Amino acid sequence: MNTADSQRVQRNLTALIEFSRIINTSLDLNFTLNNLLFSCFGKFLTTKGFVALYEGETLVIQASKGLPTNLPLTLGAGDWSTAADSPDFSQYLKEHHIVLTEVIESSRKKLGIIALGEKINKAPYSDEEKEFLRIILNLAATSIENSQFIEELKVLNRQLDGRLNSLSSLFELSKEFSALVDEERISKLLIYSLLGNFMMTGYAVIYCDDRRLRILESTFPKAVLMNTIEGRSTVSVNKILRGKEVYNFFPGLDNFSVSLCIPMQVQGESRGYILLGPRMSNKEYSEQDIEFIYSVGGLAINSLENKRLFKEALEKQKMEEELQIAKEIQKNLLPKFLPEVSDIEFAAESIPSKQIGGDYYDILETADSHYTVAIGDVSGKGVPAALLMANLQAFLKVTAKQNLPIAEATGLINNLITENTSDGRFITFFWLSLDAAAKKLQYVNAGHNPPLFIRGGKIRHLDKGGIIFGVAPTLVPYTAEEVDLQHGDLVVLFTDGVTEAKNPEDYEYSDERFESLILKNSAAGAEKIMKIIKDDLREFVKGTPQSDDITVVIIKVR
């Protein structure tokens, strides 16, 4: 080797050592690539070139000097030589006088390419220069790969930071939502938390409460939005809708700018949704953004549901208290003892349903050997029905002692009940005046189930009377009927809870079964017949809870 060659080798070695030292001082990718280009420019006396690296399946220019950066590179992964075969790429190289390209490859994979322009002196690249280029590319490859790895770590760290921030925000928001029971404050907290993170141009929060959609918050015209969502089921919005999917589901929202529709779900069931317009920054909602919005929506809907359940629990508690009061009222209205009368047997039973109904019965001694027997059924449930029953009892006790004709007295009671009745309530009522000594009775039926009068194995229905109580004043007088009693006669008063009692198969006990049972056992005493009725009902319903009271009053003439 002559002196010139020795000096050239020494310069190359020095340059390589210097290049290696420089690029290994930093893990910044731009620093490495720019130094790679500058080293090539200095060594080969060229003024233009670029470095393109693979990003997935595509080569992307990462650093360039002396060239526009809009290189049309959309190349497949793999051998970069396919890039040279690309007409667009080849044309670009020719237009910009790029005469040398070389692969940048580490020990594990191809990283990209370097492309260099003509030398200043227009001389071609010598084999020695190409060999030098490959050497510095080998040196640069490790640094590039390390820099890319660091960049990937930075991206992962940023994503991790973002997720940690989201989790921290969700944790704080969960505490805020759990402390709220006011619907307006819950919806505002939801919107403010989304505005603080995304600065949307528009929004709406829609909630399904008792199968009815309501707009809690909206920057869109509420009337138009309500017309659009009315009749829609939230259940059908069971996935996140983006862009045109929103308009396909809500055609009426075409004139609004809505980018996202995110369902708010409880245990997999949609109970509302959030409509969001584009962000003011024009930045698209990322998957991480949507995940955050979905999570915040979940916190809000759970809070709204908790509030609804809390309200329902209060109402249920109030109703149970009301029912308990009604039960006490009803219980106190029923007679605690039945009169003992020679030649006449009384038996009575009232079985309350699970809910408080309005059955009423009474047996009053109004004079010597004179008794008033009454049965009624007040429409409706709860305290109002119990109070109306109390009114009936008061009117009955006062009127029964006035010694008025029973038909006239019935008209008077109806007028009093009508004056005290509201909300469409009414009472079906039957009563009779019994002269035990003379063995006679007079009765009036005001729209009640006709009691059964059994004599000689035949049933007659006691149905003379008039209209039910509480519907209208007495304009047409009630009709009364007098019946002479004989030994063995049986009178059975009952409410419709008896004949309409249901079994597990939802069949009714029926008038036919009841009348057949009474007829078959009419020779028995009052208490015995009552026991037979209760046993037969118990066997029929098989423990099925009944929705109405069951009341029976029996009069048996000895």
Side-chain angles (χ1 to χ4, degrees):
M1 182 181 294
N2 57 34
T3 304
D5 290 340
S6 176
Q7 290 177 341
R8 188 174 64 253
V9 170
Q10 187 174 357
R11 285 198 300 273
N12 287 344
L13 184 59
T14 301
L16 289 172
I17 292 172
E18 182 63 15
F19 175 75
S20 177
R21 188 187 64 79
I22 292 174
I23 64 172
N24 284 312
T25 58
S26 173
L27 290 174
D28 182 78
L29 184 60
N30 289 329
F31 177 84
T32 301
L33 297 181
N34 285 325
N35 272 285
L36 173 61
L37 282 176
F38 283 131
S39 295
C40 292
F41 289 0
K43 176 65 181 177
F44 307 128
L45 299 178
T46 183
T47 57
K48 62 178 67 175
F50 66 84
V51 177
L53 300 179
Y54 282 110
E55 289 186 359
E57 302 294 325
T58 306
L59 272 173
V60 178
I61 291 180
Q62 299 288 343
S64 67
K65 303 296 178 188
L67 293 169
T69 57
N70 57 341
L71 182 63
L73 281 178
T74 306
L75 306 174
D79 194 345
W80 74 275
S81 61
T82 56
D85 295 336
S86 166
D88 291 339
F89 185 58
S90 298
Q91 182 63 30
Y92 180 87
L93 297 181
K94 187 180 293 182
E95 287 178 358
H96 296 282
H97 306 289
I98 302 297
V99 296
L100 178 62
T101 57
E102 192 65 51
V103 176
I104 305 172
E105 187 173 14
S106 72
S107 58
R108 295 190 307 116
K109 62 179 182 180
K110 289 179 180 177
L111 302 176
I113 62 171
I114 185 170
L116 300 175
E118 292 178 332
K119 297 166 67 172
I120 294 175
N121 58 9
K122 306 296 183 183
Y125 287 86
S126 67
D127 292 339
E128 183 183 346
E129 290 172 327
K130 292 178 181 177
E131 182 61 25
F132 183 84
L133 175 61
R134 284 191 283 273
I135 292 172
I136 64 172
L137 289 180
N138 286 336
L139 292 173
T142 301
S143 181
I144 291 171
E145 196 169 33
N146 289 338
S147 299
Q148 286 180 320
F149 181 67
I150 294 298
E151 287 297 321
E152 290 174 3
L153 281 179
K154 288 180 179 177
V155 171
L156 288 175
N157 280 334
R158 284 196 292 272
Q159 292 176 347
L160 184 59
D161 286 344
R163 288 189 176 276
L164 285 174
N165 288 332
S166 295
L167 284 174
S168 177
S169 298
L170 288 172
F171 179 70
E172 294 299 324
L173 284 169
S174 68
K175 290 193 289 186
E176 295 289 335
F177 277 117
S178 62
L180 297 176
V181 294
D182 180 74
E183 185 178 278
E184 183 180 355
R185 295 182 66 186
I186 293 171
S187 59
K188 286 195 179 302
L189 177 60
L190 168 62
I191 286 302
Y192 291 162
S193 62
L194 296 182
L195 281 170
N197 283 279
F198 305 110
M199 291 301 293
M200 309 84 67
T201 56
Y203 56 79
V205 178
I206 298 161
Y207 176 47
C208 180
D209 185 5
D210 195 21
R211 299 187 178 278
R212 184 170 61 90
L213 289 174
R214 290 192 293 117
I215 301 172
L216 301 185
E217 296 284 340
S218 179
T219 56
F220 307 124
K222 286 190 176 180
V224 180
L225 184 57
M226 197 66 225
N227 288 334
T228 303
I229 65 174
E230 207 160 29
R232 289 280 182 181
S233 168
T234 54
V235 177
S236 54
V237 187
N238 53 12
K239 67 173 187 176
I240 296 167
L241 304 177
R242 297 173 173 83
K244 290 182 179 179
E245 290 179 319
V246 179
Y247 306 127
N248 290 336
F249 191 84
F250 297 106
L253 293 183
D254 293 13
N255 296 326
F256 302 154
S257 181
V258 179
S259 300
L260 279 177
C261 173
I262 297 181
M264 296 190 292
Q265 298 184 315
V266 178
Q267 296 179 341
E269 181 183 348
S270 296
R271 299 302 305 272
Y273 39 88
I274 306 168
L275 299 175
L276 295 181
R279 301 172 68 171
M280 290 182 183
S281 62
N282 291 324
K283 187 179 178 182
E284 295 288 334
Y285 292 99
S286 67
E287 289 301 320
Q288 189 175 339
D289 296 338
I290 293 173
E291 186 180 326
F292 178 78
I293 297 168
Y294 182 85
S295 299
V296 177
L299 292 174
I301 198 66
N302 275 299
S303 189
L304 288 169
E305 283 295 288
N306 289 338
K307 168 238 160 200
R308 184 181 64 80
L309 293 174
F310 181 68
K311 182 181 177 184
E312 285 183 359
L314 285 180
E315 290 175 350
K316 185 178 178 183
Q317 182 181 357
K318 182 180 177 183
M319 186 179 296
E320 287 177 349
E321 290 174 355
E322 204 175 77
L323 289 175
Q324 188 58 40
I325 293 171
K327 277 185 177 180
E328 292 298 322
I329 294 173
Q330 186 183 28
K331 182 179 175 183
N332 291 330
L333 292 177
L334 300 180
K336 292 180 175 57
F337 304 100
L338 299 181
E340 295 183 1
V341 183
S342 60
D343 298 334
I344 300 292
E345 294 178 5
F346 292 112
E349 191 80 43
S350 185
I351 304 169
S353 64
K354 187 177 180 182
Q355 294 181 320
I356 297 299
D359 279 9
Y360 166 71
Y361 76 90
D362 215 339
I363 301 176
L364 307 171
E365 184 174 3
T366 53
D368 286 345
S369 299
H370 284 76
Y371 298 89
T372 294
V373 181
I375 190 169
D377 189 354
V378 181
S379 67
K381 310 288 184 186
V383 171
L387 292 176
L388 188 55
M389 186 193 298
N391 274 345
L392 173 64
Q393 185 195 49
F395 297 148
L396 176 67
K397 286 189 173 182
V398 171
T399 308
K401 294 183 178 179
Q402 300 304 312
N403 199 26
L404 294 172
I406 190 169
E408 183 183 341
T410 306
L412 180 60
I413 295 175
N414 176 50
N415 289 338
L416 292 170
I417 291 293
T418 303
E419 289 177 8
N420 288 275
T421 304
S422 60
D423 303 328
R425 295 184 183 278
F426 59 87
I427 303 173
T428 66
F429 185 72
F430 175 94
W431 68 325
L432 61 85
S433 177
L434 172 65
D435 184 342
K439 287 193 170 56
K440 290 184 178 180
L441 67 79
Q442 279 191 318
Y443 77 88
V444 173
N445 190 335
H448 194 75
N449 294 69
L452 309 179
F453 180 82
I454 298 95
R455 174 182 292 171
K458 294 184 180 178
I459 292 179
R460 187 160 74 86
H461 297 92
L462 305 183
D463 55 3
K464 303 298 183 187
I467 62 171
I468 57 178
F469 287 171
V471 174
T474 307
L475 300 177
V476 177
Y478 284 88
T479 302
E481 182 180 15
E482 184 173 296
V483 179
D484 291 327
L485 299 176
Q486 300 176 7
H487 170 71
D489 283 350
L490 176 68
V491 183
V492 181
L493 291 65
F494 62 99
T495 57
D496 56 7
V498 176
T499 55
E500 295 176 2
K502 292 190 175 181
N503 65 6
E505 290 76 34
D506 206 35
Y507 287 113
E508 288 190 351
Y509 187 71
S510 78
D511 290 290
E512 291 76 13
R513 178 165 179 157
F514 185 55
E515 292 182 6
S516 175
L517 183 75
I518 297 297
L519 202 56
K520 182 179 176 183
N521 297 280
S522 60
E527 289 292 343
K528 177 68 175 177
I529 295 174
M530 182 63 76
K531 183 177 184 306
I532 290 170
I533 293 172
K534 288 165 62 178
D535 289 345
D536 196 54
L537 276 168
R538 189 181 302 110
E539 181 183 349
F540 177 78
V541 302
K542 294 182 176 66
T544 305
Q546 300 299 304
S547 60
D548 204 356
D549 295 348
I550 293 173
T551 302
V552 178
V553 178
I554 296 174
I555 305 171
K556 180 67 184 286
V557 181
R558 292 189 181 120

